[in-house]
Amino acid sequence: MNRKIPLILALILIVMYLGGCSSLSDKDKKELVDVATPIGVEFIKEHYNADFILKDYVVDDPAVHSRIYLYGYIKGHEDSKITIYYSYKTKEVIDVSGPDWFIDSEVPKYKTPSS
């Protein structure tokens, strides 16, 4: 039983070390969001001809995946939540979600053909 204690402690230290290395500081998160926001705003402008206003964000830990969720609304529609899914690894918008009226307003040249 005494041999198990050092093994358990070693495993705990390894997990703590790996967890600490993969997390982002608040400053790092803010820097990522500062890059993602104008890209997301431009994407909404180009694809939906609308003005996105950022209200909040969540940055996933790199151990999970390299994604930022930009939460906001469209100017003039403050009660309708819009989410921009952004990859900070590839520096591109992955997807957008929101109410049907907004998603259906996508500029025709960007709409994907229906199956």
Side-chain angles (χ1 to χ4, degrees):
M1 181 172 237
N2 287 339
R3 283 193 258 177
K4 289 183 181 179
I5 292 173
L7 179 61
I8 292 171
L9 288 173
L11 287 173
I12 290 171
L13 289 174
I14 290 171
V15 169
M16 288 173 57
Y17 175 76
L18 292 176
C21 289
S22 66
S23 64
L24 296 168
S25 71
D26 288 342
K27 181 183 176 196
D28 291 338
K29 290 178 183 179
K30 178 74 171 105
E31 288 174 1
L32 290 170
V33 170
D34 288 346
V35 170
T37 301
I39 293 171
V41 167
E42 182 60 32
F43 184 91
I44 295 297
K45 188 67 165 172
E46 187 175 320
H47 287 251
Y48 296 93
N49 196 26
D51 296 317
F52 178 79
I53 309 298
L54 180 68
K55 285 183 73 177
D56 200 7
Y57 62 87
V58 171
V59 179
D60 277 347
D61 191 291
V64 177
H65 51 68
S66 55
R67 191 166 293 170
I68 297 174
Y69 305 92
L70 301 172
Y71 300 110
Y73 60 89
I74 298 304
K75 189 174 181 179
H77 299 277
E78 288 77 12
D79 294 336
S80 297
K81 295 178 184 176
I82 305 296
T83 304
I84 299 173
Y85 305 86
Y86 174 86
S87 168
Y88 57 85
K89 183 176 181 181
T90 62
K91 294 184 175 37
E92 63 185 357
V93 172
I94 299 166
D95 200 4
V96 175
S97 67
D100 289 342
W101 66 262
F102 174 71
I103 298 302
D104 292 343
S105 73
E106 187 174 18
V107 175
K109 73 177 186 177
Y110 292 107
K111 286 188 177 185
T112 55
S114 300
S115 299

